[in-house]
Amino acid sequence: MRSTSRVVVTALATAATMVLIGACSGGTNTISSSPPADNVLELPLNGDIGQPPDPDVFYGGAGLMITTNVYEGLVEYQSGVDEPVIVPRLATEWQVSPDFTTFSFTLRPGVTFHDGTPLTSDAVRKSIERRAAVGRGPAYMVEGITSVRTPSDLAVEIVLDGPNSAFLDFLASPYGLKIMSPALMQANAGDDFGQTFLRTNDAGSGPYRMVTAEVGERYALEEYDGYWGDKPTFSGVNLSVYSDVSAMQLAFNNGDLAALVGSVPSAAQGDYAERDDVASYRLPTYQTGFIHTNMNRPFFADRETRMAFKKLLEPQVYIDQFMSEKAEIATGLYGKGILPDADDSITREYDPAPMQAIIDGLPADQKSIVLGHNSASVDDAQIANLIAAKLISMGLQATVQAYPSSQINSFADDPSTGPDVLFTSQTWPDAGNPYMWGHVFWDLDGGLNTLQCGDNAAAALLKNAVATNDSDEYARAARAYEDTGCTTTVSYVQDFVVAQTWLGGVAEAHAIAEPYTLDLEKLTVK
């Protein structure tokens, strides 16, 4: 199933605004703030979340701050570490059959949903059925389930139609299955499986309940008194929507916001990092920068041209010039640390000669190329313009074109309408597993292969790897995809978080697979 593309949105600012922000964040004005007297944490959302905060629908970025704090899954990735460690959440223990087809879970006793309904194995079964019925982007994670057995209230067995060594990662993903109150969902099912209800309400069991959902304005969370875990420090969290990153920075600099999570422009990160009156963090994520070519347009229809273009690229230069505060050169074809037991290292060779020879051999009416980027990404625009200048010097007519996220998302339906090259400096997989990485970025039915550039042989190797959990097979799949010339992996990108000095627990509240969000119940006052 094709899912919705996820690209981080950082609002563009005018030159005057950028000067103002630079002065405020890097000048002599002191940033001063105190813990909230009403115990309600104020945090920003960089633009509206774009989709309802329904975990069976939401498949974007900023809204994870809501869905991962209001809802819970059976397992999750441990926060505060730099590798994908799966730990208990609503399940306390589990067993996996040797053939990766049966997954048995023991549920946590004493858990209730926000309406007071107790957690049982039947709630798990009905949540799986609901996700499949809604059929939106995250539904692929339950498509292979053939049966859900409920031998007791606190025991559940999930049976798959074939081997899937990544299934626990499916469940641990921030977009993975979230368990909902069966009573609430039955009472508010309507004719859309409760989708209308969950636009402004929740059916979760997490440490916070959603009490306000005003699209484009704010979302408000309130502590759930019946939560099974540790009591959160903050009784509430206000998530105000900002349409302009400069206004968001000013609010933080004025002490009105507790933190900026992953939404600080690259140009401002160095200034914040040098200040003593704020706390800054560079936290690990699976965000990655890519440069994609479009095999469905004439210029890059053949592999030779795509491979020649890869040799023209200089990833370290782009990082040094535009992303030095938040990124490092990518060394592997998978995300950082995702394939530790096999060699997925990237071979880079800078040689403009093959590309120059191809350009010199083209007729005049074929010497044009469009380089596309997200209209809200400053970094992507800068990289695109730098490469365009290089191509122009080599004799091409290179045009840089900005596209809104909605248009980029639509390219997969007809990639010939897309640009010849697409820059995505910050996007991420569904989870920290090599299959989930390869599937979303490389497979033609993966959600983030926007330009539909891929290879059936690579896809077959990836399917073999997930059935056997063979690291070497995963590496072979990566090599096969690299050999298509479709994508150049540029950088590993961190979450840059700047917080008021009184806010504690920031690093401990951040999970590697959940960019642009924090586990709010782990935040404290220093």
Side-chain angles (χ1 to χ4, degrees), residues 14 36 53 92 95 126 148 150 185 206 209 233 238 242 263 275 306 313 320 366 371 386 404 414-415 436 488 491 493:
T14 64
T92 57
Q95 294 80 41
K126 289 179 178 177
V148 181
T150 55
M185 296 312 297
R209 354 181 252 120
T233 297
N238 278 333
Y242 286 80
S263 52
R275 300 187 66 115
R306 297 195 298 270
L313 301 176
D320 291 343
Q366 295 180 21
L371 293 82
L386 185 64
D414 183 2
M436 299 180 82
T488 297
S491 57
V493 183

Side-chain angles (χ1 to χ4, degrees), residues 89-348:
R89 191 74 184 207
L90 292 182
T92 57
E93 58 183 17
W94 55 88
Q95 294 80 41
V96 181
S97 66
D99 63 354
F100 300 111
T101 61
T102 303
F103 295 76
S104 304
F105 298 89
T106 300
L107 301 183
R108 188 179 299 278
V111 174
T112 59
F113 296 97
H114 296 162
D115 65 338
T117 300
L119 169 68
T120 66
S121 56
D122 190 56
V124 177
R125 178 180 62 81
K126 289 179 178 177
S127 296
I128 291 172
E129 292 172 351
R130 196 258 179 179
R131 174 163 286 210
V134 170
R136 301 292 287 272
Y140 82 89
M141 300 184 200
V142 300
E143 285 179 348
I145 296 175
T146 58
S147 68
V148 181
R149 302 167 184 161
T150 55
S152 73
D153 281 350
L154 295 180
V156 61
E157 294 180 356
I158 300 174
V159 181
L160 309 183
D161 60 6
N164 184 350
S165 63
F167 188 68
L168 278 179
D169 291 275
F170 281 20
L171 297 177
S173 165
Y175 306 101
L177 177 71
K178 300 297 184 285
I179 313 305
M180 301 183 185
S181 165
L184 267 179
M185 296 312 297
Q186 181 177 350
N188 298 279
D191 59 1
D192 62 357
F193 307 104
Q195 292 183 70
T196 299
F197 174 73
L198 292 186
R199 288 178 178 274
T200 54
N201 300 275
D202 83 76
S205 62
Y208 288 93
R209 354 181 252 120
M210 186 178 71
V211 294
T212 301
E214 299 173 358
V215 176
E217 297 294 333
R218 76 181 186 108
Y219 298 81
L221 309 182
E222 182 180 277
E223 176 192 356
Y224 173 47
D225 291 336
Y227 183 56
W228 60 268
D230 294 336
K231 180 180 175 64
T233 297
F234 299 99
S235 60
V237 182
N238 278 333
L239 300 167
S240 298
V241 175
Y242 286 80
S243 59
D244 178 60
V245 71
S246 61
M248 186 170 61
Q249 284 184 258
L250 284 173
F252 174 80
N253 294 349
N254 290 336
D256 298 329
L257 296 173
L260 304 178
V261 183
S263 52
V264 180
S266 299
Q269 291 176 11
D271 292 334
Y272 280 124
E274 293 176 359
R275 300 187 66 115
D276 296 328
D277 51 3
V278 298
S280 60
Y281 306 82
R282 292 183 176 88
L283 301 172
T285 73
Y286 290 128
Q287 294 179 91
T288 303
F290 296 106
I291 299 176
H292 309 277
T293 52
N294 191 344
M295 66 186 293
N296 299 285
R297 287 177 59 84
F299 194 92
F300 286 116
D302 64 278
R303 175 184 173 277
E304 179 186 2
T305 305
R306 297 195 298 270
M307 296 301 289
F309 182 73
K310 285 173 72 73
K311 292 182 179 181
L312 183 70
L313 301 176
E314 300 176 274
Q316 190 64 61
V317 172
Y318 314 144
I319 294 169
D320 291 343
Q321 291 197 26
F322 308 122
M323 299 187 292
S324 60
E325 293 293 336
K326 66 180 181 182
E328 61 182 292
I329 190 77
T331 57
L333 297 168
Y334 291 98
K336 187 176 183 179
I338 285 182
L339 192 69
D341 300 324
D343 181 14
D344 68 331
S345 58
I346 297 174
T347 301
R348 300 193 191 275

